[in-house]
Amino acid sequence: MMFIKEFGQIDINSIQEVGGKGASLGEMTRAGLPVPPGYCITAGAYRQFVSRAGLAELLAQFAEPSTMKNEDIALLAQEISQRILETPLPEELEQEIVQAFTQIIGHGSLAAVRSSATAEDLPEASFAGQQESYLNIPRSELLNHIKQCWASLWTERAIHYRINNGFDHRQVYLAVVVQQMVDSEVSGVAFSVNPMNAKENEMVIESVWGLGEGIVSGKVTPDHYVINKQNDPLIRYVIADKEKMAVRPLHGSGTLFAEVAEAQRQRSSLSQKDILELTELIKRIEEHYQLPQDIEWAKTGNRYYILQARPITTLDKAPVQVDESIGESEFFNFDPELEWTNLGGVKERYNKPSSVLGWSILEPCDTEGGLYAYRSISKKELPSPLFAANIYGYLYLNFTSLKSLQSLKMLEPYAAVPDWQQFAPKRTWFQELTLTIGSIKAGNKLIKSLAKDFYAMLPGYLDKIDKYKKTDVTGLTTPELLDYIKNNLELAKQFFQLQLPSLSVTEALYNMLTGFMKKWLGDKDLTLSSKLVSGLPDNLTVRTNNKLWVLTETVASSPYLRELLAQSTIPEFLNRLADSAEGKAFQAQLTDFLGDYGHLNVNMDIAEDFWWENPGIVLAMVKGSLTADKRINPEEREQQKQQEREETEVLVRSKLNFVQREIFAKLLKSTQSYMLLRDNRHFYVTMPFSLIKKAVVTLGERLTAQGYLLDPRDIYYLTLAEIEGLLSHQLAWSQGYEKINRRKSAPRVALDDLPSLFKGWPKLSGDAATARKTAYVPSANSGQESALQGVAGSPGQVRGQVKIICSPADFSRFQAGDILVAENTDPAWTPLFSIASAVVTEHGGLLSHGAIVAREYGIPAVLGVKNATKIFRDGQTITVDGKKGAVYPES
């Protein structure tokens, strides 16, 4: 066929023959990209037709277009177009065109008929949109629409465009692309470089329901996605309210606009899987052309088609600056008169920024505990309804309310902050005396009642947990899932009523015990004090570690399992357990363990992995324990600790007089009771949070499958109230997407850049950044003279190699004998202590988890070493002196 070229017969060098659009489609077809089949009617056919129609004389009038008047151009354009439409095609050309349609497109199929100018889509100019395209054209209407494409070269708009861009009208010809029509469910455009800011590491995808005419016509606002090309994460997205969609009409050619079903309007037209697949296609096209590309695409079923690709011609323009910053936290109701603090153990326990959803679940729990404590001591309601605040993702407590309950003696730990005098309470001596007496009475009452009340409520609490645990959340409807989450939240709030004030009581009692021991027995390094609160019976953290030890012994006793764990990734190990009898037995043992202990997680944030959803956390600790030359049975160690505690009690009593012994006996009994409660409460408090997480995971996956979220984890950027509002249609999904995007792009603030005590809104400090650079500079003879000071948490001295552990994801790197360096630890980290030689943390004090467990295991611990995880490096040798509270780095 003289004037017909199939896509497979042309490439990017065929522009003069088939135009830019046709050449690009041929190039992509030959490159193996998913282009719908089609062919081009060459520019030669157009030239022959123009000659046959006798248009040479009319076209010659454009020799000097700049001298022509607009009205003359309009009349001439109309005459040329009319002549093209009225002139019949040569019979031979007509036969070629129809025969190609039957062979390539299919007799009963529909086609897209598109103009393709021979100067179109060149890098120096874009003819896109200047000529016409027609959709859903049957074979019977093909010839007429080809002539309409040719005629579109001579519209007033196209003529003026060429005049303005300096193109010779007589040197521009028109080819026509005939391509099999894709009846797309979703379609759109893509830019392999972000055209808004010219960032080469970003690409943009836009999509609508139905045919691409929805975007091209401007009648439908598309969904908008910005993707990082290096690692494919979604940087931000805007899901539009897509009221209409372009569809194929039941009869005739062209398109029509139909209403989009209500349930689809605010749903994402692309899933995360769609976006990843499109991203790979776009990168392939850009890599092939070695130029940024503007791409049209369509999807039908599970298949994507590329309809067009052309160079982006606008990147030399000044990029639009997109402000991705966020101001003050939207979760903090600013009150310039309120004071806030994260001292008193808060900074130690909540030292990582919480997820938005995690915060919305934790905050009412903490507030419930704060209200209970305040009422118990003051008999009044909290002066401010705000007890807890979210400051850049970190938990802070209302210090204005807290200090109104505490005497100056109890406020001493806060007095070390800068400008303490502006925060110190202004009270007369009589007010101070009255408050002190009242606090002592209330404190004694709490000491007597809190533990009893806690253990009294525990059976009912566990019964409800067991009931909710048996619920198959995947079978719940969406409203039922929300009710399930809220019911477990109410249960968590009831638990927090008692557990939160118990922490304060524990701290007060332990401080009194250590004060007593320092005064009457000279226990300045707390060697005796730590032994008195170690080895307490029924410690659930210790029980968890005992069960983990059993898992470790099972692997250690099986050469097959041991080698499999050592040589495989965690997913591979889990998948291959079913291949052997030993593996199946261990799998059953692991399942039982996770059934009893899988509700544990870190940082009290449901966005963090619980053990049940990530068994790799448990297996990483098993893997680390296997590196120990000699594994000590934790039950035997606990018996030794209990015996040591009992012997220490006898020793202390022998050194006290009668009155001192009576005081000591009462103080020790209460301290031991609350120290045990303090450790056990973490085991219980995570239970409803774990059940909430199961429902949230189900809800996130469901909303993603339905197209309302692009990633199941996007649900963690919404509060529980916002999720409820979106599902009840009280909050538009467009608002939800805006919140997700804004929170994703919010700046991350380091905890050390925030003040520990402030009024109003905190001022960020640059001190932490400076500290990371200058906190430790080794000297030429670096040794034990260059010490980093912290809090002495557990006595002893050890020299060893650092292993920095930031999260449970790092547990598998920890080996026996390593010195554990972390921001902080909690009970979920306890198994690491059984193989660690020492512990160093950035946060914490004498009552921190790290200090207590280190004393339990008899290893040195130094807490509160600022920026320890930044200063030290893996494999570096350091000496930890838990008695002096010092760490000595070596170069």
Side-chain angles (χ1 to χ4, degrees):
M1 295 181 183
M2 183 182 299
F3 297 118
I4 300 298
K5 295 290 184 181
E6 294 185 41
F7 289 166
Q9 297 175 312
I10 53 182
D11 58 24
I12 200 63
N13 297 313
S14 307
I15 289 178
Q16 292 304 314
E17 188 177 15
V18 296
K21 189 181 284 94
S24 179
L25 290 169
E27 179 75 16
M28 289 189 291
T29 298
R30 296 178 69 161
L33 290 158
V35 176
Y39 61 96
C40 292
I41 303 162
T42 66
Y46 168 79
R47 286 194 297 269
Q48 185 193 71
F49 178 79
V50 166
S51 175
R52 182 185 179 92
L55 291 174
E57 184 180 340
L58 292 175
L59 299 183
Q61 296 181 43
F62 285 108
E64 296 292 337
S66 59
T67 64
M68 298 176 67
K69 298 179 180 179
N70 288 342
E71 54 266 31
D72 294 334
I73 291 175
L75 289 172
L76 189 56
Q78 185 177 1
E79 187 175 354
I80 293 172
S81 297
Q82 192 69 27
R83 182 82 61 89
I84 290 174
L85 295 175
E86 290 176 350
T87 303
L89 288 171
E91 185 177 346
E92 183 181 357
L93 176 59
E94 183 177 318
Q95 289 177 354
E96 286 189 12
I97 292 172
V98 173
Q99 184 182 352
F101 188 101
T102 303
Q103 292 175 350
I104 300 169
I105 307 299
H107 179 75
S109 299
L110 300 176
V113 180
R114 305 176 187 273
S115 304
S116 181
T118 55
E120 185 179 5
D121 300 330
L122 295 175
E124 63 270 13
S126 175
F127 273 55
Q130 298 305 313
Q131 281 75 53
E132 297 296 336
S133 293
Y134 302 95
L135 305 179
N136 297 308
I137 305 302
R139 192 181 71 165
S140 60
E141 297 181 23
L142 176 63
L143 300 177
N144 180 50
H145 283 88
I146 288 171
K147 289 198 291 182
Q148 289 189 45
C149 285
W150 287 340
S152 70
L153 189 61
W154 298 102
T155 62
E156 285 186 73
R157 180 183 64 174
I159 293 169
H160 282 292
Y161 182 86
R162 292 196 293 272
I163 292 172
N164 293 335
N165 285 278
F167 285 95
D168 186 342
H169 298 275
R170 296 166 299 178
Q171 299 301 315
V172 177
Y173 307 105
L174 197 77
V176 176
V177 172
V178 181
Q179 188 174 30
Q180 189 178 81
M181 188 70 199
V182 177
D183 190 16
S184 54
E185 299 154 10
V186 183
S187 55
V189 297
F191 303 91
S192 66
V193 169
N194 191 335
M196 296 300 292
N197 54 23
K199 289 185 178 179
E200 294 185 358
N201 66 327
E202 293 182 2
M203 69 170 65
V204 173
I205 298 173
E206 293 190 327
S207 61
V208 294
W209 298 118
L211 303 175
E213 183 68 12
I215 286 183
V216 175
S217 67
K219 293 180 179 179
V220 181
T221 301
D223 296 337
H224 179 87
Y225 313 89
V226 181
I227 300 104
N228 184 310
K229 286 157 68 174
Q230 270 65 50
N231 48 18
D232 296 337
L234 201 57
I235 298 172
R236 57 186 173 273
Y237 59 93
V238 178
I239 308 303
D241 187 355
K242 302 171 288 296
E243 299 181 22
K244 295 184 180 297
M245 60 190 291
V247 297
R248 174 190 295 177
L250 293 176
H251 305 288
S253 60
T255 59
L256 58 84
F257 284 86
E259 296 287 332
V260 174
E262 187 68 33
Q264 271 191 298
R265 282 176 47 174
Q266 294 192 55
R267 282 176 50 189
S268 173
S269 49
L270 294 177
S271 68
Q272 186 181 42
K273 179 174 176 288
D274 291 331
I275 293 170
L276 290 176
E277 291 182 10
L278 269 173
T279 297
E280 289 306 311
L281 264 179
I282 295 161
K283 288 196 288 189
R284 279 178 61 192
I285 295 169
E286 183 184 54
E287 185 177 350
H288 179 80
Y289 283 109
Q290 294 294 302
L291 285 171
Q293 296 291 305
D294 171 356
I295 297 158
E296 291 182 24
W297 57 269
K299 177 193 176 191
T300 181
N302 292 317
R303 189 167 183 188
Y304 299 89
Y305 294 94
I306 302 302
L307 307 180
Q308 183 178 342
R310 56 176 174 257
I312 300 177
T313 58
T314 58
L315 291 180
D316 56 337
K317 297 180 181 179
V320 176
Q321 297 300 318
V322 180
D323 183 8
E324 300 173 4
S325 64
I326 186 172
E328 296 174 350
S329 171
E330 62 188 292
F331 306 112
F332 180 57
N333 294 323
F334 178 78
D335 184 336
E337 297 305 316
L338 288 181
E339 297 166 349
W340 300 90
T341 187
N342 64 358
L343 296 173
V346 176
K347 188 173 184 178
E348 167 209 332
R349 289 189 292 274
Y350 302 107
N351 53 74
K352 295 184 184 300
S354 173
S355 67
V356 175
L357 181 56
W359 164 255
S360 73
I361 289 169
L362 179 63
E363 184 274 330
C365 295
D366 275 324
T367 295
E368 197 72 26
L371 290 172
Y372 180 90
Y374 194 88
R375 293 191 199 106
S376 300
I377 295 174
S378 71
K379 309 300 181 184
K380 299 177 183 178
E381 290 297 321
L382 203 64
S384 167
L386 287 174
F387 177 73
N390 181 328
I391 311 294
Y392 293 107
Y394 301 99
L395 177 68
Y396 275 73
L397 298 183
N398 186 330
F399 187 67
T400 302
S401 297
L402 286 176
K403 73 180 182 182
S404 68
L405 301 178
Q406 300 181 8
S407 65
L408 288 172
K409 181 68 176 175
M410 295 176 67
L411 291 172
E412 283 182 357
Y414 300 93
V417 301
D419 305 318
W420 163 247
Q421 288 308 313
Q422 67 173 311
F423 300 107
K426 307 300 188 288
R427 294 192 284 256
T428 66
W429 69 269
F430 181 75
Q431 290 173 325
E432 181 68 23
L433 178 62
T434 303
L435 178 62
T436 301
I437 294 172
S439 297
I440 292 172
K441 288 182 178 180
N444 286 332
K445 185 177 179 181
L446 280 177
I447 290 170
K448 292 176 182 178
S449 64
L450 264 180
K452 291 180 181 179
D453 291 345
F454 176 84
Y455 287 112
M457 62 84 71
L458 194 56
Y461 174 82
L462 293 176
D463 284 345
K464 289 182 180 178
I465 291 290
D466 189 56
K467 171 190 169 185
Y468 291 134
K469 193 175 182 180
K470 293 175 181 176
T471 302
D472 178 12
V473 294
T474 61
L476 298 179
T477 65
T478 298
E480 287 171 341
L481 276 174
L482 279 174
D483 287 340
Y484 183 87
I485 292 170
K486 290 190 285 187
N487 289 338
N488 275 284
L489 177 55
E490 286 302 313
L491 193 57
K493 286 166 64 177
Q494 294 172 23
F495 187 94
F496 264 75
Q497 272 195 350
L498 299 177
Q499 79 92 21
L500 197 62
S502 72
L503 298 178
S504 299
V505 170
T506 305
E507 187 168 352
L509 285 168
Y510 188 68
N511 286 336
M512 285 191 282
L513 177 65
T514 56
F516 180 93
M517 294 294 291
K518 287 178 183 178
K519 182 174 178 64
W520 299 109
L521 284 99
D523 186 31
K524 294 182 179 180
D525 62 2
L526 305 183
T527 300
L528 296 176
S529 299
S530 62
K531 291 179 180 179
L532 290 171
V533 292
S534 298
L536 299 172
D538 300 319
N539 187 308
L540 294 176
T541 299
V542 173
R543 185 188 301 174
T544 303
N545 201 31
N546 292 348
K547 295 295 183 181
L548 187 64
W549 183 83
V550 174
L551 283 177
T552 303
E553 287 303 291
T554 299
V555 176
S557 63
S558 166
Y560 169 75
L561 289 177
R562 187 161 188 162
E563 182 178 0
L564 182 63
L565 184 59
Q567 301 299 325
S568 309
T569 64
I570 296 299
E572 290 171 345
F573 176 80
L574 291 170
N575 288 336
R576 293 181 60 185
L577 287 178
D579 296 343
S580 67
E582 290 172 285
K584 290 178 181 177
F586 179 78
Q587 191 173 43
Q589 191 178 354
L590 177 62
T591 300
D592 289 342
F593 176 87
L594 293 174
D596 293 332
Y597 304 100
H599 61 275
L600 296 172
N601 94 327
V602 299
N603 213 39
M604 294 300 294
D605 183 359
I606 64 163
E608 299 286 347
D609 283 353
F610 288 78
W611 289 5
W612 61 262
E613 63 181 323
N614 185 4
I617 297 172
V618 175
L619 293 174
M621 292 185 285
V622 169
K623 201 171 185 178
S625 297
L626 290 171
T627 62
D629 293 333
K630 181 180 179 182
R631 287 179 299 282
I632 301 174
N633 188 323
E635 291 185 353
E636 295 177 2
R637 179 193 281 116
E638 200 56 25
Q639 291 174 0
Q640 295 172 1
K641 284 291 178 182
Q642 289 179 16
Q643 182 178 349
E644 189 178 71
R645 171 175 52 77
E646 292 167 357
E647 291 173 352
T648 303
E649 288 180 23
V650 172
L651 174 65
V652 171
R653 287 192 180 96
S654 69
K655 296 179 177 292
L656 300 173
N657 59 38
F658 174 78
V659 175
Q660 291 169 339
R661 280 198 299 271
E662 288 297 310
I663 296 172
F664 172 74
K666 291 181 179 180
L667 182 57
L668 181 63
K669 181 180 179 181
S670 294
T671 304
Q672 289 177 339
S673 172
Y674 278 93
M675 288 291 284
L676 183 62
L677 175 60
R678 181 192 187 280
D679 226 19
N680 286 352
R681 60 96 203 170
H682 181 88
F683 184 86
Y684 294 121
V685 76
T686 56
M687 288 178 171
F689 284 75
S690 173
L691 297 175
I692 290 171
K693 178 62 175 286
K694 290 183 178 180
V696 166
V697 168
T698 300
L699 185 57
E701 291 174 348
R702 186 175 298 174
L703 291 174
T704 302
Q706 293 172 348
Y708 289 107
L709 294 177
L710 285 174
D711 186 328
R713 290 195 65 82
D714 281 354
I715 199 170
Y716 297 109
Y717 291 94
L718 298 167
T719 67
L720 183 57
E722 288 166 351
I723 294 170
E724 190 172 9
L726 289 167
L727 294 175
S728 65
H729 304 296
Q730 295 177 348
L731 181 69
W733 275 100
S734 57
Q735 295 174 280
Y737 302 133
E738 185 274 331
K739 291 176 183 291
I740 291 170
N741 284 317
R742 179 155 42 84
R743 291 163 185 170
K744 274 187 172 181
S745 62
R748 301 294 182 259
V749 175
L751 181 58
D752 288 333
D753 288 338
L754 289 166
S756 296
L757 187 58
F758 64 87
K759 184 177 182 179
W761 183 257
K763 292 182 179 179
L764 298 180
S765 166
D767 292 346
T770 304
R772 292 188 191 105
K773 297 176 183 177
T774 62
Y776 172 65
V777 180
S779 62
N781 300 310
S782 183
Q784 294 201 354
E785 71 275 13
S786 302
L788 291 169
Q789 203 64 39
V791 176
S794 179
Q797 188 178 94
V798 162
R799 180 177 181 269
Q801 290 189 336
V802 165
K803 190 62 64 66
I804 296 171
I805 303 297
C806 297
S807 72
D810 298 328
F811 283 3
S812 61
R813 298 193 301 106
F814 198 80
Q815 298 189 0
D818 287 343
I819 293 176
L820 173 61
V821 177
E823 290 183 12
N824 187 50
T825 66
D826 68 19
W829 293 51
T830 299
L832 296 185
F833 286 69
S834 65
I835 59 174
S837 60
V839 176
V840 178
T841 65
E842 293 184 353
H843 308 291
L846 286 176
L847 267 182
S848 67
H849 170 266
I852 292 172
V853 179
R855 293 193 290 266
E856 192 77 26
Y857 282 89
I859 58 176
V862 178
L863 304 313
V865 179
K866 193 173 183 180
N867 297 308
T869 60
K870 283 74 170 185
I871 296 169
F872 301 131
R873 62 184 184 277
D874 277 349
Q876 181 180 2
T877 300
I878 63 173
T879 298
V880 179
D881 191 329
K883 185 174 182 179
K884 295 181 179 178
V887 181
Y888 302 93
E890 297 180 18
S891 57

